[in-house]
Amino acid sequence: MKNYLSLFLLLISFTFLSAQEYQLGRGLDVIDQEKFSLKLGGFVGAKYSSENVLSMDHNGLMLYGNFLEKFNFLIEGSGDETFSYDFSSGESVRSKYYLSRAYLSYSYSDALSFKVGEFLTPLGLFNVAYIPALQWTAFKPYVADGFYPKIIAGAEVSGSFGDEQGFSYSAFYHFNHRYDTNPNNVQADEFAGAELRYIFDYEAKVAINFSRYKSVQSKEISRVGGANLLVPFNDDELSAEFLYKVGQWKDEVGSLSTWQDYAWYAQYVRALFSKNYLSLRVGQKVRFNSSKSRNWNDSNAVLGYIYKPYSALSVKLEHRYRERDGWNRLKVNETLLSFGLLF
Amino acid sequence: MKILLFFLLLFGSLHAQQWSVVCSKKIKPKSLAEIKSFYLKKRRYFEGVKIVPINLSYSNPARIDFMSMVLEIEKSRWQRYWDKMHFKGFDTPVVVESVEAMRMYLVKIPGSIGYLPSKMNRENFYEIGNFESK
């Protein structure tokens, strides 16, 4: 409680110190000078499920800025489900905050930028904007399900060409899991990949990506290929992602197991009227093992209603129907009420 | 009804003001597509000069007209775009409260880009295009 209070007091003091007028979702100018700028922002989210569990969604604080025109930096401390309370059993769970992003980037030109440190893996649509305030649904798509490490401790080269239309690219290398300061979904010793995008309007894009990683825990080597698409139509939006993974794993006796996963989703968001949206997402994840008895096919559909009184604040009510065939069969209906705020 | 509509349109057009999209003479963009990529910070340099896009605040109708006619972006989509950019560690274009403040920025900062009423003296700037606003 003390921590939350001191954080609140810190934010309030920055608000008074800031010369610029504060705007929700744009952070607070701590220092705003020609050669050096520093901004404080963050995000918070919470959800309440039909299983009677209230939990914090991903929440964190970030500090970022620019110096000497070409250098940018960002430091973020965050946590996922840092608190949850089950009303049925009366049990609560707490988890820690951690350093989730910390990087320095140098922009040589629009076509060539370098980044070093810890940052989000620059692949796909969901991974680079996964926080509740930026997503249309609180239920995560299958592509967020451990296809590759979501955070990198390494280096990235990126750039873009053209104006309204053109190509952009990102290529990265992750050095070693020992530099991870966060509970990454996959602990990889080596991880390299790239994404190439064609932008056909300022946000509309199609992209393909490829990556390969070697996991520490499971001693697996995986190769992942994917494609994604984002097409806005006025205030509506169509998005889709596809990922295909081939994994190999050698057990203690030395026998080789292989498996293949693929997952996809397609989502359409329709602006009903001002500040009110309806979303529909369908998706699937399929696994093929070398031992066929453990193959499965998981699919779901999420229907959601989103109210956005401000662009940085969303309240969502969504229902998910999920069905799994093959190994570990299940059929689940779940409803979530959630909110996400970017500040 | 038609007569009323005619007078409304006439009244509206009489009050419409011509605005010019201008930038400091250090940079010479050729098209409005380039302006769009500068305002979205997709392009941050022009021949080695750092671009500084400037906007008026939403209280000025020219801001909305500039966004819809020049950038061709709705306010809600613009805001969602900048929500994502804020999360990625990028700051929005500079926002100023008055046309005079916009003019001062354009005079003082090389690489700055903005919009001014066409009736203002623009001889210190490079003009890229025009739009109408009430």
Side-chain angles (χ1 to χ4, degrees), chain A residues 58 76-78 98-102 118-120 130 151 181-182:
Chain A
H58 215 102
E76 178 191 279
S78 70
Y98 48 85
L99 185 68
S100 41
R101 289 191 287 172
E118 196 163 50
F119 48 91
L120 298 174
Y130 68 92
I151 296 171
T181 56
N182 58 78

Side-chain angles (χ1 to χ4, degrees), chain A residues 23 25-27 29 39 41-43 62 64 66 69-70 72 74 76 101 103 107 109-110 113 120 128-131 134 136 160 162-164 199 201-203 232 234-237 277 308 311-312 342-343, chain B residues 31-38 40-46 48-51 58 71-92 94-95 97 105 108-110:
Chain A
Q23 198 193 338
R26 298 291 172 269
D29 288 310
K39 205 153 213 182
F43 47 90
M62 53 189 194
Y64 68 83
N66 173 280
E69 283 199 354
K70 298 211 160 197
N72 287 284
L74 187 146
E76 178 191 279
R101 289 191 287 172
Y103 64 78
S107 178
S109 67
D110 289 313
S113 291
L120 298 174
V128 293
Y130 68 92
I131 61 167
L134 299 181
W136 292 106
S160 63
D163 290 308
E164 208 165 0
I199 318 274
D201 193 2
Y202 68 102
E203 250 195 320
N234 298 319
D235 213 8
D236 296 1
E237 184 180 293
Y277 300 84
K308 280 173 98 63
S311 87
L342 184 73
F343 56 90
Chain B
S31 68
L32 290 174
E34 279 180 285
I35 304 304
K36 192 170 174 177
S37 54
F38 294 154
L40 295 163
K41 295 197 177 176
K42 278 174 66 182
R43 261 187 76 183
R44 285 172 286 165
Y45 301 95
F46 186 90
V49 179
K50 191 178 181 187
I51 302 294
Y58 282 117
L71 304 182
E72 296 171 324
I73 298 173
E74 287 182 24
K75 187 181 169 186
S76 56
R77 184 150 283 282
W78 167 270
Q79 288 180 326
R80 287 209 297 277
Y81 176 83
W82 281 104
D83 290 342
K84 285 183 190 167
M85 292 294 273
H86 169 51
F87 180 64
K88 287 178 183 172
F90 289 97
D91 209 356
T92 53
V94 175
V95 176
E97 284 301 320
Y105 255 97
K108 285 190 172 175
I109 299 179

Side-chain angles (χ1 to χ4, degrees), chain A residues 238-254:
Chain A
L238 171 71
S239 58
E241 276 194 81
F242 171 77
L243 285 174
Y244 178 73
K245 172 164 142 178
V246 180
Q248 279 187 329
W249 176 72
K250 207 178 257 185
D251 63 19
E252 283 156 3
V253 199

Side-chain angles (χ1 to χ4, degrees), chain A residues 184-200:
Chain A
N184 212 343
N185 55 339
V186 178
Q187 285 198 321
D189 253 345
E190 288 172 23
F191 177 33
E195 181 166 273
L196 179 67
R197 310 165 196 107
Y198 179 70
I199 318 274
F200 50 95

